[in-house]
Amino acid sequence: MMLNGKKTPKRRKKRIKLSPKASRVLNVLKGGALRFSWAARLVIGAVLFTPILVYMVYINYTVDRQGVFQGDQELRNVVDMLLSGKNITGYEQFNERQRDILALLAEKFETPPNTIALGSSRILQMNFETAGLEDGEFFNCGLTGADFLDIIGSYYLFEKNNCLPENLIIGLDPWVFNKNSVDSRSDKTLYAEFLTNCLNIPTPYTTPDPREKWTALYSPSYFQGNISYLRLTGGETNTLQVVNEDELMKQSTEVKMHDGSILYPTEMRDKKQELIDNEATVSINYGMLNLEDYTELDTERMEHFEAFLRYAKEKGVRVFLILTPYHPINYEHMSVTQPDHYASFLNTEPTIRRIASELDIPVYGSYNPYAIPGVTNADFFDSLHCRATCIQKFFPGIPKAVENLENGVDVGLNYETTKEEAEMRDSGVDQETGSLLT
């Protein structure tokens, strides 16, 4: 500031000098006020954010569109529908996820079924009636394309969930000892875990860290995905249709029955016999499924199979082995036309019977259709799959099978029966004398 052309000096503010003690008190107060400010902000933020966090966790856990915590929503819908006694169409679209569905089923059975069946699609025609049981006492756990690993893994799922049945039906395919027969969908980890933990056969495997999945609980991106899923579907899926009892035999698509069995569509069930036989003949040109590379019976698989059967029996489970036959045209090709090429196939049944006999486990049926009295071409849908009427010709149902086992009844068949011998037998002619049987 200028005054009379001269610069006026600035006035200095007079500072109040505090004593050292007062300065310390003031600094403490300033620090306390700052900490209180931050604490207040945290409290307000927590109050505002906690409901959002709780809501996020709730949505992520209950909706769980990717099945991180409860399995995929669609798969859970399938399980809930089956366990509530509903027969459904649309199940075939889950063929690649059948193993996941079975894992959920094993978890959700309130009480173990009296009897379960394991195996591939070749056992899926067995239902509770064919098994001779009441509705609710039987569940068919067969899997499309099931291999040796699937059979053991499926059993292990039930054991892990404390849900072992009294009776175990195992549908054994003839490639059971073919080490080259491994389905890409089978759970190799589950199989290795069973060998290691139950059979004391150390087999390397890794299991996912269960803690990792819980990070999805508070994941904003997973929350956004679940909210979008709810908006689009309302949490429901429209891929499955319930079929009423009076409409079952009219369906043009496959029906998954509530006992786990399969009812084929009308087109397959009503196919003309001539067409079935022609297709069986044509299938020979493409090779027999899982048998073309079956050069030898794998010793390791046989040992694992025997150890598994022994283990299941030690757990108090009755085991029944089922061998479903091939269409006569296809069996004739393998046993008569090219027996050398299919030598491993032909050696599988006697091997199964030997192992079962040593463990006192009954074997019902045969891969050889001629070994089963009354079986004809009309008992087959195609070269691989026989009808329920065929199973009923060699399997008496669980109550009778249990009675036979307890009484030591020999239920074996002559698996080497020829076509000519079968024709004589089924015509009522004594094979030794040639006279009519009375």
Side-chain angles (χ1 to χ4, degrees):
M1 180 178 180
M2 301 295 291
L3 183 63
N4 297 325
K6 294 182 180 181
K7 192 174 183 179
T8 303
K10 293 181 179 179
R11 290 185 180 181
R12 294 182 179 181
K13 293 181 179 180
K14 191 175 181 180
R15 292 184 176 180
I16 300 175
K17 190 174 182 179
L18 298 175
S19 66
K21 184 176 181 180
S23 294
R24 288 195 296 271
V25 172
L26 183 61
N27 288 335
V28 170
L29 291 174
K30 285 181 178 179
L34 182 61
R35 286 193 292 271
F36 178 80
S37 174
W38 278 108
R41 292 179 186 179
L42 289 173
V43 170
I44 293 171
V47 170
L48 295 175
F49 183 68
T50 297
I52 298 175
L53 179 61
V54 171
Y55 182 64
M56 180 189 297
V57 169
Y58 172 77
I59 292 295
N60 284 348
Y61 185 81
T62 57
V63 178
D64 195 21
R65 67 188 180 92
Q66 293 181 359
V68 177
F69 308 106
Q70 304 184 53
D72 287 4
Q73 181 64 49
E74 289 185 322
L75 304 190
R76 281 181 275 153
N77 287 345
V78 172
V79 170
D80 291 341
M81 293 173 81
L82 293 177
L83 292 182
S84 64
K86 295 181 173 64
N87 306 312
I88 56 178
T89 57
Y91 184 81
E92 64 272 14
Q93 64 193 301
F94 297 104
N95 277 350
E96 301 302 309
R97 306 295 307 279
Q98 288 183 37
R99 287 140 185 89
D100 298 323
I101 291 174
L102 183 58
L104 290 172
L105 277 164
E107 292 177 5
K108 296 200 71 172
F109 275 114
E110 293 183 0
T111 56
N114 172 274
T115 302
I116 64 172
L118 306 178
S120 70
S121 59
R122 284 164 46 82
I123 196 64
L124 281 172
Q125 288 303 297
M126 178 171 285
N127 55 33
F128 74 89
E129 294 174 320
T130 311
L133 297 169
E134 296 295 324
D135 194 2
E137 294 183 325
F138 170 84
F139 198 87
N140 195 319
C141 303
L143 303 167
T144 302
D147 59 13
F148 178 70
L149 283 66
D150 277 316
I151 290 175
I152 291 181
S154 296
Y155 165 87
Y156 190 38
L157 286 174
F158 280 82
E159 179 176 316
K160 290 179 72 172
N161 287 283
N162 297 315
C163 198
L164 285 178
E166 292 182 25
N167 306 299
L168 177 64
I169 296 172
I170 304 178
L172 287 178
D173 293 317
W175 51 83
V176 62
F177 300 136
N178 181 3
K179 65 180 179 181
N180 296 314
S181 173
V182 179
D183 193 278
S184 61
R185 297 164 293 186
S186 59
D187 192 333
K188 284 72 177 175
T189 296
L190 192 64
Y191 173 71
E193 184 182 335
F194 176 81
L195 293 183
T196 302
N197 296 342
C198 300
L199 301 186
N200 296 319
I201 302 174
T203 308
Y205 70 94
T206 56
T207 54
D209 187 345
R211 294 172 297 181
E212 292 180 0
K213 71 177 184 180
W214 296 107
T215 59
L217 272 180
Y218 47 85
S219 167
S221 61
Y222 194 46
F223 175 71
Q224 291 173 351
N226 282 322
I227 291 296
S228 298
Y229 177 81
L230 280 174
R231 287 174 178 171
L232 289 172
T233 67
E236 300 295 332
T237 56
N238 299 312
T239 55
L240 302 169
Q241 296 293 327
V242 176
V243 183
N244 296 326
E245 290 289 335
D246 58 349
E247 296 292 322
L248 282 174
M249 305 307 290
K250 304 174 185 178
Q251 298 303 306
S252 59
T253 58
E254 188 175 282
V255 181
K256 182 69 171 178
M257 304 296 288
H258 64 273
D259 65 359
S261 62
I262 290 293
L263 177 65
Y264 286 135
T266 53
E267 181 182 4
M268 191 167 181
R269 286 185 284 106
D270 298 339
K271 188 181 295 185
K272 292 184 178 180
Q273 191 61 50
E274 181 181 0
L275 184 57
I276 295 174
D277 294 346
N278 287 341
E279 290 177 349
T281 302
V282 171
S283 70
I284 292 172
N285 299 327
Y286 298 97
M288 302 307 297
L289 180 67
N290 292 326
L291 298 180
E292 299 304 317
D293 59 355
Y294 193 7
T295 56
E296 62 179 353
L297 280 69
D298 184 61
T299 302
E300 183 177 75
R301 280 201 175 189
M302 289 189 288
E303 291 174 351
H304 290 179
F305 178 64
E306 182 173 352
F308 162 60
L309 294 179
R310 195 183 304 277
Y311 178 84
K313 286 195 63 178
E314 290 173 354
K315 287 291 182 178
V317 178
R318 300 188 197 94
V319 181
F320 302 91
L321 303 183
I322 299 290
L323 310 184
T324 54
Y326 275 78
H327 189 291
I329 290 175
N330 300 90
Y331 187 81
E332 188 81 1
H333 168 72
M334 292 187 287
S335 63
V336 177
T337 307
Q338 294 194 33
D340 292 337
H341 180 67
Y342 294 104
S344 292
F345 160 71
L346 296 172
N347 288 330
T348 298
E349 181 166 341
T351 301
I352 291 172
R353 291 184 178 278
R354 174 185 60 77
I355 293 173
S357 177
E358 292 172 356
L359 298 175
D360 195 26
I361 292 176
V363 179
Y364 284 90
S366 173
Y367 300 136
N368 178 1
Y370 304 126
I372 305 170
V375 169
T376 68
N377 293 21
D379 285 305
F380 295 84
F381 293 109
D382 53 30
S383 60
L384 279 173
H385 302 93
C386 68
R387 298 173 184 265
T389 54
C390 180
I391 297 176
Q392 290 172 322
K393 290 179 179 179
F394 63 80
F395 184 64
I398 283 296
K400 184 63 177 178
V402 170
E403 180 184 325
N404 289 341
L405 177 62
E406 293 175 345
N407 293 330
V409 177
D410 182 5
V411 298
L413 298 172
N414 179 10
Y415 59 85
E416 296 181 317
T417 302
T418 65
K419 179 180 180 180
E420 292 72 27
E421 290 170 341
E423 289 175 345
M424 290 186 64
R425 177 199 62 212
D426 294 341
S427 66
V429 176
D430 187 286
Q431 296 179 29
E432 294 184 359
T433 65
S435 58
L436 290 174
L437 297 172
T438 57

